[in-house]
């Protein structure tokens, strides 16, 4: 006979002994069908001996390309001799015990699983079955099963499932055989169908016969039994079976017993197995009830608390906290209704719209019940709480547009040109001939649309005081309010007080107040730190409200000053007088109120407190706000120090599941309810008196522009639950917050819990901090928002809303964002915000200041695009360069400049978009050569705030229509979505006259990603993400859409090209980006997203983003547009070569931007990605770009900083 041609690895002798034996075994199996059993036994025994004594023998059999495994399996399948079978099983056990998963994978791929299962079935037919055979077969199956994806199905179809169950029942006392049978059952149970079948066959009851209290014996058996039971009770049917048979208290008792006796923590896996069973059982409603009834919350809380000092027991603590969170009874929010506390009557309510659905909901809709056995995300909840993101990640392709026809620009315009001609008045620059224009005084020729009439409601000016005067002062008589020519009184003006009641404290109309800055109290604005003695002067100046000549009853607080220990800004009280004439005479005599504030004009060229108050007076809000917040009044000077992204704190955010310390404190509320104060200290639902002040608690306020805080509840001495208000005409969108706190104690550890957040994760879990503004710091010469807060985390809580209120989403839970804070100043007034606030009145102030800074070289026009539902005007800006003369060439060049269309702040809570827009506007209005070159290159049409109403009223996402305006671009309503309707009409008009913009960009903010990045639209990249077939003709497109993001990645330190996406999703088909691309035909149509947190790449890696970086991003966008112009029209810029040299130098000196992937947690707003957070990675930047050593005013940004200086 010829020797078998056994393929071996290089270097292994082909005539090795084991290969010779395998050759003999192969011939014996093929020729004689193992008729000679004795020879088979001898050969297999020799192979077994070689494998047991020589490691190289195993390698020869399992080497790549060797046919040894096929020979062994063929012999096992064909032989009938028990001893030969056992020898081969011994051989396989030796081979598969070492070598990792690769050897098992080879075994499975060769059909080994089916052969073993067949042997189990045939061996069971023997009477009695061979114990050793069953032992070896089940030992092998326990190794092989986890690597075979179809193992459970094969076992069920083969019949081996029942064999193993019967074997288990017959050998409960035979621990040697019991262990491998349990190991195989554990693998069987991972198949849901098998788990139900095993439950019906009584396997669940069998497990409880094996599981018992603490014992040092048979711990391996107990561990496997618990794992098997844990796999079985993933089935709801089996979980109900456990509950029905009252096994939940048994499991809790067993867990307590092991916890008490396992003092050296040697059996943590057994304790973890018991918790694993409880975790799966409590996935059903009956299981959660049984757990609560068995006092499970107290048991797990106490045992977990005792485990806290031992770091190795973290897995037990984490699993316990997950179970307790899940079983914490679901409650409704502590509100009368989750609908917004404010309501705005719409011109009409569409029958199928969200507002109609909201107000047609039945009574009791907010009541929360445990609605099903499906605990929300219970079976998929993972350590990072990214259930929704994981789901979105796996189903990401489902949202990608696959209809090629929808991925091409529309060929025809949807509206007739006659209908669009009315928008010609917004494009005067396209027909301007400048005849009769005085080039010596160009401002006289470019006029802005007059502002809307002012509202004459009383406005409360911020000072450092607190409570209003305690004694009454007289209300002004009729006719005391003086209207300017052409102005009209506000329809909601405060009515006179009823005669039967004392005259209320009434704020003086700011039209009659003279507010001046204290020139003696000003500091040297070139320095942030005040000089000695400045703080006292500023405090005194800020607090002085002079009401000269008034009697004792006419003075605020009874004197010339006001007690600074009070909280609220004082009402600037009107004096008691006989009529308008007397009042006017007193004012003319210099007896008006004087509020003195620090002058920050040199640091903030676009900020003026006096002007801000004037802007507030013409701003309309649904709650009719009459107060001005200190930060908006004083302004914000970006700090010069760097604010680093926080590292995750052990026990708070790490290890995962996070936040166990905070969660345990929440669970204490259920276990020790008598320790909870549950005292409401602020409630907007009580319109008459929202502030409940007993002198023992913090005082809150949010009744000012962009403010959002609905309710504050003191739960412990220094802990408060805070509830945010829904967007108006909505019952959700809770994320933006902005509120005032006062009455704090210095050094006390306060904890604030915002309990009705909605997103499933947040950058608060990845290093982001809240923002705080201290009035004491401001009057000390440091008016600024700073990142603050410790022990910050974001986690699912026990509050939820019903499926009806959640729009059909079952078990919609809320999330808590919690942070701790220690205050440094006595009698301080502090403000907290989600991000740097930027109000509508701030925008109006900035636009007016920018217009005042206009030079003769700048063409700037401000129009009112439309009026919003709330009665606020939506500004439209036109910015370009003035022509040098009225020559035909100059006028032709002026009219034919390409257009760039920019918009921002469609989502009110994304305040960073306004700061980026501010940087863009400042750059465009600057006097630098780059700015002039950019104005000469383009005509800019800018809508800086698409949703003024949402911004004013403190909404997070919607307008007063209760809808997300960035989902209305396909068919906007002129009545319900006027800003979107008219902005789209502007673009449609441009498309109709063949002047579609070269670039459209909508500025946004992103709450769950880091860095700044863009979303664009690409037919080709969208198709590549799907399985649809398309011809090369269908996929033809210009790659120019990538140019601008690529330029930004080279010039802007915060920008990340790796985070950009150009895929078009179905869920985004009504957004500005997609509609402008598809309907207007703008290839470069973008959404530019700016992080709310910080950067994980480039120069700013590891730093939280601030207003300086956001404004810089807006300026860098302008620089990128200039380079885009250079690339798209190089001949046009030939005459400006010196400017291009400057621009090139600017780009080349930028820090190198690494292409590391962006860290983010998914945003429901945009394209789905998911990456791991890693803050330990070293930066790939050059040493001078290290965040710890780099100068914040780096020379790399000298051009940008010089440009900013030019504004002053």
């Amino acid at each position: 006979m010829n020797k078998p041609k056994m393929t071996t690895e290089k270097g292994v002798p082909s005539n090795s002994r084991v290969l010779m034996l395998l050759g003999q075994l192969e011939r014996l199996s093929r020729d004689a069908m193992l008729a000679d059993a004795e020879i088979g036994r001898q050969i297999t025994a020799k192979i077994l001996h070689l494998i047991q004594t020589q490691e190289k023998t195993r390698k020869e059999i399992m080497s790549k390309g060797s046919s040894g495994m096929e020979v062994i399996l063929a012999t096992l399948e064909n032989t009938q001799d028990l001893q030969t079978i056992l020898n081969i099983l011994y051989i396989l056990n030796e081979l598969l015990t070492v070598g990792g998963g690769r050897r098992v994978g080879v075994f499975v791929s060769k059909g080994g699983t089916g052969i073993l299962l067949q042997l189990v079935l045939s061996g069971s037919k023997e009477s009695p079955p061979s114990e050793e055979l069953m032992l070896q077969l089940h030992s092998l199956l326990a190794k092989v099963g986890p690597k075979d994806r179809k193992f459970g199905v094969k076992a069920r179809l083969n019949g081996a499932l029942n064999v193993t169950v019967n074997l288990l029942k017959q050998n409960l006392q035979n621990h040697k055989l019991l262990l491998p049978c349990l190991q195989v059952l554990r693998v069987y149970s991972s198949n849901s169908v098998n788990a139900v079948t095993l439950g019906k066959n009584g396997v669940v009851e069998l497990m409880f016969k094996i599981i018992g209290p603490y014992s040092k014996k048979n711990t391996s058996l107990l561990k496997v039994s618990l794992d098997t039971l844990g796999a079985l009770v993933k089935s709801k049917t089996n979980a109900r079976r456990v509950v029905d048979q009252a096994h939940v208290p048994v499991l809790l008792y067993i867990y307590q017993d092991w916890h008490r006796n396992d003092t050296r923590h040697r059996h943590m896996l057994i304790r973890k197995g018991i918790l694993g069973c409880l975790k799966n059982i409590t996935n059903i409603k009956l299981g959660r009830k049984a757990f609560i009834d068995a006092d499970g919350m107290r048991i797990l809380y106490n045992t977990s608390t005792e485990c806290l000092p031992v770091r190795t027991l973290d897995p037990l603590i984490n699993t316990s906290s997950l179970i307790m969170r899940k079983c914490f009874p679901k409650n409704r929010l502590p509100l009368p209704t989750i609908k917004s506390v404010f309501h705005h009557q719409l011109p009409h309510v569409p029958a199928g719209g969200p507002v109609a659905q909201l107000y047609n909901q039945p009574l009791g809709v907010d009541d929360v019940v445990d609605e099903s056995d499906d605990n929300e995300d219970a079976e998929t909840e993972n350590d990072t709480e990214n259930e929704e993101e994981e789901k979105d990640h796996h189903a990401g392709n489902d949202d990608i547009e696959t209809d090629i026809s929808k991925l091409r620009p529309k060929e025809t315009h949807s509206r007739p040109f006659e209908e669009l001609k009315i928008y010609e008045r917004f494009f005067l620059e396209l027909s301007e001939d400048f005849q009769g224009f005085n080039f010596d005084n160009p401002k006289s020729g470019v006029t802005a649309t007059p502002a809307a009439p002012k509202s004459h409601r009383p406005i409360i000016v911020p000072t450092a005081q607190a409570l209003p005067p305690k004694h009454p002062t007289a209300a002004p008589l009729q006719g005391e309010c003086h209207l300017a020519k052409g102005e009209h009184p506000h329809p909601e003006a405060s009515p006179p007080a009823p005669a039967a009641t004392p005259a209320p404290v009434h704020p003086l109309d700011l039209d009659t107040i003279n507010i001046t800055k204290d020139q003696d109290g000003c500091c040297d604005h070139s320095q942030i730190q005040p000089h000695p003695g400045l703080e006292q002067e500023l405090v005194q100046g800020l607090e002085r409200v002079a009401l000269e000549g008034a009697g004792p009853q006419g003075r605020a607080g009874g004197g010339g000053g006001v007690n600074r220990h009070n909280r609220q800004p004082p009402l600037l009280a009107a004096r008691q007088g006989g009529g308008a004439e007397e009042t006017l005479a007193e004012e003319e005599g210099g007896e008006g109120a004087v509020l003195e504030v620090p002058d920050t004009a040199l640091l903030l060229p676009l900020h003026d407190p006096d002007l801000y108050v004037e802007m507030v007076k013409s701003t309309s809000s649904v709650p009719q706000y009459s107060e001005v917040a200190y930060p908006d009044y004083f302004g914000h000077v970006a700090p010069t120090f760097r604010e680093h992204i926080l590292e995750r704190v052990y026990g708070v955010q790490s290890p995962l599941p996070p936040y166990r310390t905070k969660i345990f404190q929440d669970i204490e509320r259920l276990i020790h309810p008598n320790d909870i104060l549950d005292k409401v200290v602020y409630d907007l639902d009580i319109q008459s008196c929202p502030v409940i002040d007993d002198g023992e608690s913090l005082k809150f306020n949010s009744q000012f522009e962009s403010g959002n805080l609905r309710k504050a509840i003191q739960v412990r001495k220094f802990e408060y639950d805070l509830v945010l208000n829904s967007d108006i005409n909505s019952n959700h969108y809770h994320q933006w917050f902005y509120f005032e706190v006062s009455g704090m104690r210095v050094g006390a550890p306060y904890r604030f819990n915002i309990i009705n957040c909605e997103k499933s994760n947040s950058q608060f879990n990845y290093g982001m901090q809240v923002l705080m503004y201290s009035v004491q710091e401001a009057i000390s010469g440091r008016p600024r928002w700073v990142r603050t807060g410790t022990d910050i985390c974001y986690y699912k809580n026990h509050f939820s809303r019903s499926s009806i209120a959640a729009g059909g989403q079952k078990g919609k839970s809320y999330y808590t964002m919690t942070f701790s804070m220690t205050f440094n100043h006595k009698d301080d007034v502090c403000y907290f915000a989600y991000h740097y606030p930027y109000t509508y009145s701030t925008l109006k102030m900035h636009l007016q200041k920018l217009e005042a800074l206009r030079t003769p070289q700048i063409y700037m026009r401000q129009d009112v695009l439309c009026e919003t539902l709330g009665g606020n005007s939506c500004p439209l800006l036109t910015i370009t360069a003035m022509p040098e003369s009225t020559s035909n060439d100059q006028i032709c060049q002026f009219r034919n400049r390409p257009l760039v269309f920019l918009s921002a702040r469609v989502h009110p809570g994304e305040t960073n978009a306004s700061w980026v827009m501010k940087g863009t506007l400042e750059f465009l209005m600057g006097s630098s050569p780059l700015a002039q070159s950019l104005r000469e290159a383009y005509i800019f049409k800018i809508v800086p705030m698409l949703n003024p109403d949402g911004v004013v009223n403190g909404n997070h996402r919607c307008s007063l229509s209760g809808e997300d305006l960035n989902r209305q671009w396909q068919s906007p309503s002129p009545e319900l979505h006027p800003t979107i309707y008219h902005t789209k009409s502007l673009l449609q008009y441009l498309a109709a006259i063949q002047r579609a913009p070269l670039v459209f960009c909508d500025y946004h903010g992103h709450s769950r990603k880091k860095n700044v990045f863009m979303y664009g639209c690409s037919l080709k990249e969208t198709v590549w993400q799907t399985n649809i077939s398309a011809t090369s003709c269908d996929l033809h497109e210009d790659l120019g859409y990538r140019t601008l993001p690529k330029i930004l990645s080279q010039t802007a330190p915060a920008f990340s090209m790796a985070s950009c996406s150009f895929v078009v999703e179905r869920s985004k088909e009504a957004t500005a980006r997609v509609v402008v691309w598809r309907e207007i035909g703008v290839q470069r149509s973008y959404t530019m997203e700016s992080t709310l947190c910080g950067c994980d790449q480039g120069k700013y890696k590891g730093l939280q983003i601030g207003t300086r970086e956001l404004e810089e991003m807006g300026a860098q966008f302008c620089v990128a547009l200039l380079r885009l112009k250079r690339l798209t029209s190089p001949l046009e810029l030939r005459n400006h070569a010196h400017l291009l040299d400057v621009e090139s130098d600017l780009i080349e000196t930028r820090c190198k931007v690494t292409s590391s992937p962006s860290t983010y947690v998914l945003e429901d707003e945009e394209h789905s990605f998911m990456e791991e957070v890693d803050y330990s990675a070293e930066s790939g930047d050059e040493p001078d770009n290290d965040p710890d050593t780099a100068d914040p005013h780096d020379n790399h940004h000298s051009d940008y900083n010089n440009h900013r200086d030019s504004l002053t």
Side-chain angles (χ1 to χ4, degrees), residues 142 146 180-191 198 220 223-229 231-232:
C181 287
L182 284 171
Q183 290 172 332
V184 175
L185 270 180
R186 178 176 59 187
V187 185
Y188 287 162
S189 302
S190 62
N191 179 283
L198 291 171
S220 298
K223 169 67 176 65
V224 178
S225 300
L226 287 168
D227 289 346
T228 305
L229 179 61
L232 286 168

Side-chain angles (χ1 to χ4, degrees), residues 344 346 619-622 705-706 727-728 730 733 736 838-841 843-844 865-876 902-911 913-914 917 942-969 976-981 983 1002-1004:
H344 180 77
L346 299 178
T619 296
S620 299
S621 62
V622 173
E705 186 174 348
S706 294
D727 285 4
I728 292 178
S730 167
Y733 298 119
W736 168 256
Y838 191 103
T839 66
Y840 173 62
S841 297
L843 172 68
K844 293 192 293 182
L865 176 62
C866 62
E867 189 174 90
T868 65
L869 286 173
N872 294 298
S873 60
C874 179
L876 169 67
L902 305 178
S903 61
R905 207 67 185 282
V906 70
H907 294 144
E910 296 168 7
T911 58
S914 282
M917 179 59 76
I942 302 174
V943 184
M945 192 171 282
L946 280 166
N947 192 352
D949 290 341
V951 172
V952 169
N953 292 288
N955 284 6
H956 173 65
R957 196 169 187 85
C958 299
S959 70
L960 295 185
S961 70
E963 297 169 294
D964 181 348
L965 290 183
N966 202 34
R967 295 296 185 274
Q968 311 303 323
W969 279 78
L976 297 178
H977 324 116
T979 60
I980 303 302
Y981 178 85
T983 303
D1002 190 19
Y1003 292 2
H1004 281 253

Side-chain angles (χ1 to χ4, degrees), residues 855-886:
T855 64
Q857 291 77 32
I858 302 175
Y859 178 101
M860 177 188 181
R861 192 179 70 254
Q862 179 178 342
D863 298 306
V864 174
L865 176 62
C866 62
E867 189 174 90
T868 65
L869 286 173
N872 294 298
S873 60
C874 179
L876 169 67
L877 305 180
T878 304
I879 301 175
T880 187
M882 291 290 294
E884 295 179 6
S885 68
T886 57

Side-chain angles (χ1 to χ4, degrees), residues 460-463 465-466 468 567-571 627-628 630 740 831:
I460 299 173
V461 179
T463 60
Q465 293 75 32
R567 182 196 66 80
Q568 290 181 341
L571 301 178
E627 296 183 36
V628 177
Y630 292 94
E740 171 195 308
Y831 289 77

Side-chain angles (χ1 to χ4, degrees), residues 464-475:
Q465 293 75 32
L467 296 175
K470 304 228 176 190
H471 63 275
T473 56

